[in-house]
Amino acid sequence: MAQGPSQPPVVGSRWVLAREQFDTLLDSFRDHGYEVLGPTVRDGAIVYGRIEEVHDLPVGWTDRQEAGSYRLERRDDPALFGYNVGPHSWKKYLFPSRERLFTARREGPSFRVSTEPTEEGPKAYLGVRACEIAAIRIQDRVFTGGPEVDPGYAGRRTRALVVAAQCTQAASSCFCVSMGTGPEVEDGFDLVLTELVGEGPHRFVIEVGTPAGASVLAGVPLVPASPVDLAKVSERLQRTRHAMGRSLEANGIRELLLGRLDHEEWEKVGARCVACTNCTMVCPTCFCHSTEEVPDLAGSRVERWRRWDSCFNLAFSELHGGSVRTSVPSRYRQWMVHKLATWYDQFGSSGCVGCGRCIAWCPVGIDITEEAERVRLPSAPTSRGGRP
Amino acid sequence: MSTDREPSPSADGIPLAPSPFTVRERAAETADTVTLTLDPLTGDRPAPFLPGQFNMLSVLGAGEVAISISGDPARPDELVHTVRSLGLSTQAIGRLSPGSTVAVRGPYGRGWPLEAAWGRDVVLVAGGIGIAPLRPLLYALLRERARFGRLEVIYGARSPQDLVYYRQLQEWRARSNARFQVTVDAAGRDWYGDVGVVTQRIPDCRFDGRNTVAFLCGPEIMMRLSAEALEGRGVRPEAIWLSMERNMRCGVGFCGHCQFGPYLLCRDGPVLPYRELRPLLRVREL
Ligand SMILES: Cc1cc2nc3c(=O)[nH]c(=O)nc-3n(C[C@H](O)[C@H](O)[C@H](O)COP(=O)(O)OP(=O)(O)OC[C@H]3O[C@@H](n4cnc5c(N)ncnc54)[C@H](O)[C@@H]3O)c2cc1C
Ligand code: SF4
Ligand code: SF4
């Protein structure tokens, strides 16, 4: 059947890959030196890990998400990308939870600082969603958008091939439409796949986003996408757009929240929140971290590491032996106001992409969209904002 | 990082990597505070800095902390830090003696807007170790004494034993055209100076409120009450500058610890105008 382009296809062109040929695509990634990372089922969730062959993908699984709950269910078709987002995000790879910044070795009265050259090769991130591309771009601005550039992040970012997957369904926790980040992958990808399953042969429409994406396709058995295929892609995306489980009024949210730092809802939500930090760990944009130093026993070598931290930890705001944000309400407020309001001041965009992870993975089912609505309602006066 | 000056290039091009410095001189200021003069061990001269900027300091293995540069900006070859020992990291710095090694990176942050002082009366209010980031400003101001009007310096500490730079302040008081008011929260009979908080000294200050610029550093509550008192005397909120403090881990806007509302204090501050800070300072646990 498909002969496939022997030359790399042009950027912007669209092709169809048959499901039976999916392993050829995975092989081609590897032939081009990429390690493939993508969705896989582990411990009852779809997480990101190494993908060797198509059966490592969550074949025939979907995720059902609600406030405080996430579970996998069988689909009635063998879709490979028939789910939305799990507890992992690509920050797992781009901004690892623990990373050595440098090693300092004592040299006489002085010391010398070094980093080990990275052994990491290029990676193909398979199945990146629109909201996740938006999240990666947000972290790009944090780690590479200022005058100081984080070289570890920047290096991993340039070695990553973004192979996106269009969402052909939405979870009940999704609200990317409200945040303007999805469901359609429009840019920021090397390749984007749309899975067509259930109508005609199981296949993927692949759009080429960059020359790097194009070169991987050389030799992969593809046929040009037909107008019917393309119409189906638009129709799926349209359907997803209308299937959003949640919404958040993002217009004016910054001003609203900054004007309501004394709202009674902070006390109420803070009474429910158990400060477990889950929401910050699963959030694809949360970047806060701490540093720690690991000296060896002889004292001749010290490593400085950084690790994910969370504004829900009491020690996060430590100052002079105490903490600034001792109460849980103040920590929830810090998190949500940062996500939806002060992120604009700091990095020029919202810090929330509407992926819904924090909603599903909150053990007590706190829902950021619901909280935004509650803060919108007028409040009785509280002592939280005002001081005597 | 600084938008005013480039930070010193980090060792071997590794970002966030500190450079080795050695302690040239150690002066005990009080029981828990030392002033260290540092020399680079790598041969490069310390980077020039602006009053109000800070470095990240660490005794490797004991953790890294933000410490203001407290020396004379006209003598950038002399890197001076005054450190009060609190937790592990600052205690380790406090124990350093001449010849010991300390890891330094910076300078970071936006400092005091010195030019805002020209042609005006100037008020400095310092509380406790808050005098450290104000001292470079004082050096710079005294060097350009003719360019502005009155100079009022208010400095408060817990007790006479907690006063930092005491000798130098007395010297300046004696020979500079500035008024120094030093006050302590509590004192024994051998203290002849003022007793009370710094805000109580503001009514006594001589300045033309509408044409005054004020620079404040100290505990948040002290800065808030002082700013209110200054405002009460007609100083415009945009002419009152505060050096804010939060936990800082990276100094370059990556770690998220130093958020104060919309600000990343390491990058946007630590010095910010009271006009912007005023509503935020009223919010509990921000
Ligand atoms: C802009 C700015 C300027 C400042 N200027 C001055 C100044 O001029 N003089 C001054 O005295 N203070 C200054 N400070 C305050 C000073 O930074 C704090 O007092 C200091 O951070 C607290 O030190 P500590 O010893 O109590 O910290 P610690 O309790 O030792 O902790 C400091 C941080 O390092 C971590 N830490 C502790 N030990 C280790 C370890 N072994 N390994 C890894 N991490 C560790 C802790 O978790 C903590 O968050 C300034 C602060 C700011 C923000
Ligand atoms: S705040 Fe919640 S919904 Fe928004 S990006 Fe983070 S995890 Fe997703
Ligand atoms: S909001 Fe939920 S997930 Fe986040 S810290 Fe609180 S309890 Fe944990």
Side-chain angles (χ1 to χ4, degrees), chain A residues 101-102 104 108-115 142-144 147-151 254 258 261 267 287-295 302 304 306 309 315-321 323-331 333-334 338 342 345-347 383-388, chain B residues 1-3 7 10-21 41-42 58-64 86 99-105 108 220-221 224 245-247 249-250 252-264 267-268 279-286:
Chain A
L101 292 174
F102 59 78
S110 186
F111 60 83
R112 174 177 290 280
V113 175
S114 61
T115 45
V142 173
F143 291 117
T144 64
E148 193 96 10
V149 169
D150 182 274
R254 177 185 171 277
L258 287 176
L261 298 173
E267 299 296 338
F287 62 87
C288 289
H289 58 265
S290 279
T291 44
E292 58 193 23
E293 291 181 1
V294 188
V302 174
R304 187 171 291 162
R306 74 175 176 200
D309 199 350
F316 186 84
S317 62
E318 204 170 90
L319 199 63
H320 307 157
S323 281
V324 174
R325 297 180 206 107
T326 46
S327 77
V328 176
S330 72
R331 285 179 251 159
R333 181 183 63 190
Q334 165 61 29
H338 188 214
T342 53
D345 300 272
Q346 296 165 7
F347 302 106
S383 65
R384 186 141 290 281
R387 284 183 202 253
Chain B
M1 71 164 254
S2 161
T3 48
S10 38
D12 304 320
I14 301 165
L16 307 188
S19 302
F21 276 66
L41 274 169
T42 45
S58 61
V59 172
L60 286 174
E64 194 179 36
L86 287 168
S100 332
T101 306
V102 59
V104 180
R105 61 188 177 91
Y108 297 121
E220 216 163 289
I221 174 83
R224 185 165 62 89
E245 184 183 357
R246 281 292 178 274
N247 189 315
R249 290 320 195 77
C250 71
V252 297
F254 290 161
C255 80
H257 279 262
C258 67
Q259 288 180 67
F260 184 67
Y263 301 110
L264 288 167
R267 183 191 79 179
D268 307 323
L280 301 171
L281 287 166
R282 284 181 210 226
V283 179
R284 265 175 45 210
E285 301 188 293
L286 188 65

Side-chain angles (χ1 to χ4, degrees), chain A residues 217-235:
Chain A
L217 291 186
V220 176
L222 301 169
V223 292
S226 72
V228 176
D229 295 324
L230 297 179
K232 282 207 190 306
V233 168
S234 314
E235 180 210 299

